[in-house]
């Protein structure tokens, strides 16, 4: 009796183990989101996480016919958590940059996050060497925006670095700055659509600069996980082709987030 | 750990930052003293209309964090159209001048308290002696009280200058790239934290050392009787 139970237990454990080892990636795929970057990802008072990133994650899972678990993870620890195998992928509006590529692999972009100059409607500004010469431009320090303005216009503009984007926007309204440069979606949501933002506008359209802003926003996976990466790539193309992507896009933004084909 | 080539690479940026810090101090310390002297004299006055405003000034600037004062001056004042249209705006528009204003007012309040203490610590007998010789109150101040008070205040005042030097590291929050700002800039560009902060700390240390050396020299010049015999 005892012997048989032990044998059964051993069998269960062994079977379980081999099943675990052989378990294909699409069984309970764990995906980390940030939960604090509206409108891409935000946590509702009920605890539910919603947003563009989350919808894309669910659509990709449906495409992969995988069971998915959405994991909420703070931004600072999001890459270490992936390396520690707390989850298998990061879908959290992460820019594909050279530094990050040293530690993780990225899929193709699933959207592009261009930057833009914003200034007061009263003054026309051309985004050219002549138009920008001597202008006071505010950026948030240590961002792709700082990199872009510094490397492209650093010699001719008066570049000011701020601790937060809010403080840069504030100095624009106070008249200390002629322009701010930041992520277009952040500026639209966090400034132009807010109270007092209607006196300001985007100058010269959106700007995508590969050298600083990377190749767009991608899904991060571990470097040894080529299978998962390729499956995500196929799924991104599939939801683009089926129209699921466009549906999600329209839910959040009145314009195409994807940008030009890679 | 000791990557000399990296220190060499970041040195120009840090030295530029250190120059900004020294510039801020070179303007703020004298300005603060110019503010402090009349405030201290008003503070020890028996006239309520003189000491009350002095007391309020010291109370506010000593009682609130320097960071609050910096933000109030830089972001707060700019909110009012009256100030944006005033003749002061060309200066207040510049972060550097806002930093100088905040640092000067702040150190002015502390220095005023140091001077008040020193003035009140001048032995009463010396003032009596001055009166007995027929000196006018103004002459007593000039010849007796202030020189004595200066000697009494010096150690505490040097402390205040050092405190101000270290507090000035806050100005990077209002876009002034001082020594701390330069260290932060390097930190965000290179993702290296240890080296720029250690280098900035060493430069601050060098500056405080310079201040204490100058102070020691001034102290001995002011108090010849305390010099060691030659």
């Amino acid at each position: 009796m005892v012997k048989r139970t032990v044998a059964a237990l051993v069998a269960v454990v062994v079977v379980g183990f081999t099943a675990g080892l052989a378990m294909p990636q699409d069984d309970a795929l764990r995906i980390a989101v940030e939960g604090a970057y509206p409108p891409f990802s935000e946590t509702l008072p009920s605890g539910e996480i919603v947003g563009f990133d989350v919808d894309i994650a669910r659509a990709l899972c449906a495409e992969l016919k995988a069971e998915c678990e959405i994991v909420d993870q703070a931004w600072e620890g999001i890459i270490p958590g992936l390396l520690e195998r707390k989850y298998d992928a990061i879908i959290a509006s992460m820019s594909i940059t050279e530094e990050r590529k040293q530690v993780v692999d990225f899929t193709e972009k699933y959207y592009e996050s261009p930057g833009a100059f914003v200034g007061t409607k009263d003054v026309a500004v051309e985004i050219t060497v002549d138009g920008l010469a001597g202008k006071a431009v505010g950026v948030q320090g240590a961002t792709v925006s700082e990199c872009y303005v510094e490397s492209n216009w650093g010699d001719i503009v008066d570049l000011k670095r701020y601790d937060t984007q809010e403080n840069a926007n504030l100095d624009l309204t106070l008249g200390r700055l002629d322009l701010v440069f930041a992520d277009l979606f952040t500026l639209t949501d966090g400034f132009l659509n807010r109270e007092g933002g209607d006196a300001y506008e985007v100058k010269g359209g959106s700007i995508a600069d590969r050298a600083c802003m990377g190749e767009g926003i991608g899904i991060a996976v571990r470097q040894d996980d080529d299978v998962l990466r390729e499956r995500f790539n196929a799924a991104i193309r599939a939801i683009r082709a089926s129209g699921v992507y466009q549906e999600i896009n329209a839910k959040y933004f009145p314009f195409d987030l994807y940008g030009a084909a890679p | 750990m000791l990557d000399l080539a990296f220190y060499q690479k970041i040195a120009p940026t840090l030295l530029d930052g250190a120059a900004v810090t020294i510039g801020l101090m070179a303007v703020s310390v004298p300005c603060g003293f110019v503010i402090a002297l009349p405030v201290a004299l008003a503070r020890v006055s028996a006239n309520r209309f003189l000491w009350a405003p002095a007391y309020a000034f010291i109370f506010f600037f000593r009682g609130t964090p320097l960071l609050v004062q910096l933000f109030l001056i830089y972001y707060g004042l700019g909110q009012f159209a009256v100030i944006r249209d005033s003749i002061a705006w060309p200066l207040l528009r510049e972060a550097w001048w806002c930093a100088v204003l905040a640092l000067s007012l702040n150190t002015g309040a502390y220095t005023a308290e140091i001077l008040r203490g020193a003035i009140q610590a001048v032995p009463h007998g010396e003032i009596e002696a001055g009166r007995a010789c027929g000196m006018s109150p103004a002459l007593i101040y000039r010849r007796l009280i202030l020189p004595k008070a200066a000697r009494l205040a010096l150690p505490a005042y040097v402390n205040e200058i050092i405190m101000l030097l270290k507090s000035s590291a806050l100005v990077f929050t209002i876009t002034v790239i001082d020594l701390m700002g330069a260290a932060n800039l390097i930190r965000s560009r290179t993702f290296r934290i240890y080296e720029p902060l250690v280098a900035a700390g060493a430069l601050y240390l060098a500056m405080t050392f310079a201040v204490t050396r100058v102070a020691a020299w001034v102290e001995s010049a002011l108090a010849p009787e305390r010099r060691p015999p030659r």
Side-chain angles (χ1 to χ4, degrees), chain B residues 21-86:
Chain B
T21 295
I22 292 170
L24 280 173
M25 292 298 292
V27 179
S28 302
V29 169
C31 284
F33 189 80
V34 167
I35 294 168
L37 191 58
V39 171
L41 293 178
R43 179 72 182 75
V44 296
S45 157
N47 185 335
R48 192 194 314 166
F49 294 100
L50 284 177
W51 73 254
Y55 183 84
F57 170 79
I58 294 170
F59 183 72
F60 175 77
F61 280 97
R62 222 168 42 146
T64 54
L66 177 60
L67 188 61
V68 171
Q69 294 160 19
L70 272 172
F71 272 46
L72 265 180
I73 290 171
Y74 186 72
Y75 291 115
L77 288 183
Q79 200 185 312
F80 302 104
V82 187
I83 288 174
R84 286 209 304 277
D85 298 334
S86 74

Side-chain angles (χ1 to χ4, degrees), chain B residues 104-153:
Chain B
S104 302
L105 290 171
N106 187 277
T107 186
Y110 278 98
T111 308
E113 266 308 89
I114 293 168
L115 290 179
R116 175 192 68 89
I119 289 169
Q120 287 177 340
V122 174
H124 201 67
E126 295 188 17
I127 300 166
E128 291 272 280
R131 276 201 204 119
C133 297
M135 285 182 170
S136 72
L139 195 63
I140 290 175
Y141 252 101
R142 200 155 54 81
R143 289 258 180 91
L144 295 176
I145 301 181
L146 290 182
K148 180 91 182 180
R151 256 177 279 171
L152 290 171

Side-chain angles (χ1 to χ4, degrees), chain A residues 142 150 161 171 174-176, chain B residues 74-75 84 93 185 188-189:
Chain A
E150 189 167 39
R161 297 168 182 86
D171 252 5
L174 296 183
R176 284 200 186 99
Chain B
Y74 186 72
Y75 291 115
R84 286 209 304 277
R93 197 174 186 275
L185 208 60
S188 68
R189 278 189 197 150

Side-chain angles (χ1 to χ4, degrees), chain B residues 125-194:
Chain B
E126 295 188 17
I127 300 166
E128 291 272 280
R131 276 201 204 119
C133 297
M135 285 182 170
S136 72
L139 195 63
I140 290 175
Y141 252 101
R142 200 155 54 81
R143 289 258 180 91
L144 295 176
I145 301 181
L146 290 182
K148 180 91 182 180
R151 256 177 279 171
L152 290 171
L154 195 66
Y157 184 55
V158 172
N159 241 350
E160 167 53 23
I161 293 174
I162 291 172
M163 293 296 276
L164 186 73
L165 173 65
K166 292 187 289 179
S167 306
S168 76
L170 285 173
V171 301
F172 84 90
T173 57
I174 59 165
T175 77
V176 177
I177 305 292
D178 68 330
L179 179 50
M180 183 66 194
N184 273 336
L185 208 60
I186 295 164
R187 205 154 61 89
S188 68
R189 278 189 197 150
T190 59
F191 300 107
R192 289 171 81 153
I193 297 166
Y194 181 81

